[in-house]
Amino acid sequence: MRPRPCRSSVVTVLLCAFFTLLALTGPCAPAQGGEGPEPSTKAEEPEASTRVARLFEKASAATQRYEAGRRAAHVQEARARRTERLLARERRGITLLHNDLGRIARAQYRSGGDLPLTARMLLSTDPEELVHGQRAAWQADLALDNAVSRSRRAERKLAEGQREATAQWHSLRERTVRLAQLKKRIERRLAQAQGELQGAADRSVTAGQCRGAVRLDQPGFHAPRAWVPPVESYELSAGFDEAGGRWSHRHTGQDFAVDIGTPVRAAGGGRVVKVSCGGGFGIEVVVRHPGGYCTQYAHLAAVTVDQGEKVRAGQWLGQSGTTGNSTGPHLHFEVRLTPYWGSGVDPVQWFAERGVRL
């Protein structure tokens, strides 16, 4: 008889080989062929981007409320001044009424107004004169009563006006203080979120690995024309073809001075042909537009689009930052004849030819 094979030995060998292969290629094994993005960076960046975008909206709304409160303060100040003028006039009127009361009281005293009617009748020798005197006394009493009533009404009105003016000033000061405190709290939170966003962007640039698009909830925007500036609110800084020690050659674009996290939008409709990070431009996006022109958006802190994506005028492409060869937060914007550096034209003139004045 032939000996029976040892099946247990074969099974043991196969199981050992299987578990060895699983240990080498399983999901917990380190990735081969390149360094992956930092886990903390991927977790931090979308959260920071979202918080910056939301805090920008809150800061803008708080600033608008604060400015509205400041304008209301000026209006209230003008009203308070008018109230003070009215109160001063009321005080003068009360002084005149007090003078009238004194004059009437003195006239009554001289005409016997301090004597009772019965006593005046007993002392009078002419009844007709007494009747005329009585009528005059009634008129004097009526004038005195009217003067006293007017004086009391004026004093009440003066007191009410003073209380109203004081309450208005207190309310205005309290509201202004609350708005200022709210504005400062939002600005502090925004500065912290901006620091986190820029830190994640710097780590990405150092690693040379882009983190991919961060999808932000952007407000609905319908461009009134085919071309729009790349940021909504800005100050122009370094211009095209300027010379300086900050650049190895002359400046190749137009800089827009904006804070970290400011939404950067597509100047016109087109397709994203490049999303990259690293090098002098840091994190950048390049869009090709119909007709052949390309626009570049550089030194970003985050991007909100992927390469190959189609975009419309005004759509957010990313958030501004200070990555790469940058001396401070701003957007470096170029208009190019090709997607590549060195083919730039003057953005200010290019926009002007399309009806957009920077």
Side-chain angles (χ1 to χ4, degrees), residues 281-348:
F281 288 122
I283 300 175
E284 63 171 323
V285 173
V286 178
V287 176
R288 187 194 297 274
H289 305 280
Y293 283 101
C294 296
T295 52
Q296 181 219 26
Y297 313 79
H299 304 312
L300 303 178
V303 295
T304 59
V305 292
D306 288 317
Q307 188 165 314
E309 185 174 337
K310 189 176 180 180
V311 296
R312 65 186 185 279
Q315 180 178 337
W316 289 1
L317 302 176
Q319 293 170 289
S320 62
T322 182
T323 54
N325 185 18
S326 172
T327 58
H330 72 283
L331 169 68
H332 175 85
F333 175 81
E334 290 190 17
V335 178
R336 298 172 175 176
L337 300 175
T338 71
Y340 309 108
W341 178 82
S343 61
V345 298
D346 185 356
V348 174

Side-chain angles (χ1 to χ4, degrees), residues 15-327:
L15 288 175
C16 291
F18 173 78
F19 285 114
T20 301
L21 181 62
L22 181 62
L24 292 175
T25 61
C28 296
Q32 303 294 324
E35 181 182 356
E38 299 179 21
S40 59
T41 300
K42 291 200 68 171
E44 288 174 5
E45 193 271 340
E47 180 184 355
S49 293
T50 302
R51 283 194 292 123
V52 168
R54 291 175 180 172
L55 288 170
F56 259 116
E57 294 179 4
K58 289 184 178 181
S60 176
T63 299
Q64 291 176 4
R65 290 197 298 270
Y66 179 79
E67 291 300 319
R70 187 177 57 82
R71 290 191 295 270
H74 287 304
V75 173
Q76 188 60 44
E77 183 179 3
R79 290 177 180 173
R81 288 175 179 171
R82 288 196 299 269
T83 301
E84 286 295 335
R85 289 194 294 268
L86 292 175
L87 292 176
R89 190 169 65 186
E90 293 294 338
R91 293 188 188 98
R92 290 194 297 270
I94 290 175
T95 300
L96 294 176
L97 286 175
H98 287 171
N99 293 337
D100 289 343
L101 287 175
R103 179 177 54 77
I104 293 172
R106 288 191 297 272
Q108 280 192 319
Y109 178 78
R110 287 193 297 269
S111 62
D114 57 329
L115 292 177
L117 176 59
T118 304
R120 290 201 300 271
M121 290 178 65
L122 293 174
L123 296 175
S124 175
T125 58
D126 186 352
E128 185 177 353
E129 180 183 355
L130 178 62
V131 171
H132 286 297
Q134 181 62 33
R135 184 177 299 136
W138 286 340
Q139 290 175 349
D141 288 340
L142 181 61
L144 180 61
D145 291 341
N146 288 337
V148 171
S149 298
R150 288 199 305 272
S151 176
R152 289 174 178 173
R153 286 197 300 270
E155 289 174 351
R156 285 196 299 268
K157 186 177 180 180
L158 176 63
E160 291 173 0
Q162 288 176 333
R163 286 194 298 270
E164 181 181 358
T166 301
Q168 288 174 346
W169 276 111
H170 280 305
S171 174
L172 184 62
R173 282 195 295 267
E174 290 175 358
R175 182 187 177 194
T176 303
V177 169
R178 287 197 304 270
L179 288 173
Q181 291 173 345
L182 173 64
K183 188 170 179 287
K184 288 182 179 179
R185 285 198 302 270
I186 293 176
E187 288 174 348
R188 285 195 299 267
R189 291 167 57 194
L190 177 59
Q192 180 180 359
Q194 286 173 324
E196 294 176 9
L197 177 62
Q198 184 61 44
D202 290 337
R203 289 191 293 273
S204 176
V205 171
T206 300
Q209 293 179 336
C210 294
R211 296 183 297 274
V214 179
R215 301 302 179 179
L216 300 177
D217 294 330
Q218 55 183 298
F221 178 82
H222 300 285
R225 56 187 68 182
W227 303 98
V228 295
V231 285
E232 186 173 0
S233 300
Y234 57 87
E235 290 184 8
L236 297 179
S237 50
F240 178 75
D241 206 32
E242 285 188 14
R246 290 174 292 175
W247 313 291
S248 56
H249 304 283
R250 301 180 75 86
H251 195 229
T252 56
Q254 175 64 58
D255 287 349
F256 295 78
V258 290
D259 285 337
I260 294 173
T262 300
V264 174
R265 57 191 188 180
R271 189 174 297 278
V272 178
V273 296
K274 182 181 181 182
V275 175
S276 66
C277 56
F281 288 122
I283 300 175
E284 63 171 323
V285 173
V286 178
V287 176
R288 187 194 297 274
H289 305 280
Y293 283 101
C294 296
T295 52
Q296 181 219 26
Y297 313 79
H299 304 312
L300 303 178
V303 295
T304 59
V305 292
D306 288 317
Q307 188 165 314
E309 185 174 337
K310 189 176 180 180
V311 296
R312 65 186 185 279
Q315 180 178 337
W316 289 1
L317 302 176
Q319 293 170 289
S320 62
T322 182
T323 54
N325 185 18
S326 172
T327 58

